[in-house]
Amino acid sequence: MSQTELHVLVETERDRVEHWRIEELERASYGHRAAGRLAARHDIDLHAAVRLLERGCAPELALKILL
């Protein structure tokens, strides 16, 4: 497998992970745009982002806390 093919494969996997993260964050009640911003940040723990909302934090405030 060439470096180019490997790069495309890695990008595809990263895209799949980000799409999954967006779906999970939207399911937790983040808006699509906020979910996209959070999903792209792999340094932000998905479970922590969801827990904030489960504990009653407003999505706007949770976004400010996480970013």
Side-chain angles (χ1 to χ4, degrees), residues 3 18 29 32 49 51 57 59 64:
Q3 283 291 346
E18 285 186 17
S29 296
H32 183 72
R51 267 194 310 273
C57 189
K64 287 180 183 180

Side-chain angles (χ1 to χ4, degrees), residues 7-30:
H7 180 71
V8 170
L9 183 62
V10 170
E11 286 294 321
T12 301
E13 183 64 21
R14 172 172 265 175
D15 290 342
R16 278 189 237 145
V17 169
E18 285 186 17
H19 287 120
W20 173 78
R21 287 172 56 93
I22 289 171
E23 290 172 2
E24 292 299 309
L25 290 162
E26 287 178 336
R27 188 174 295 124
S29 296
Y30 284 97

Side-chain angles (χ1 to χ4, degrees), residues 48-60:
V50 171
R51 267 194 310 273
L52 281 170
L53 299 187
E54 289 173 344
R55 293 180 178 171
C57 189
E60 298 80 18

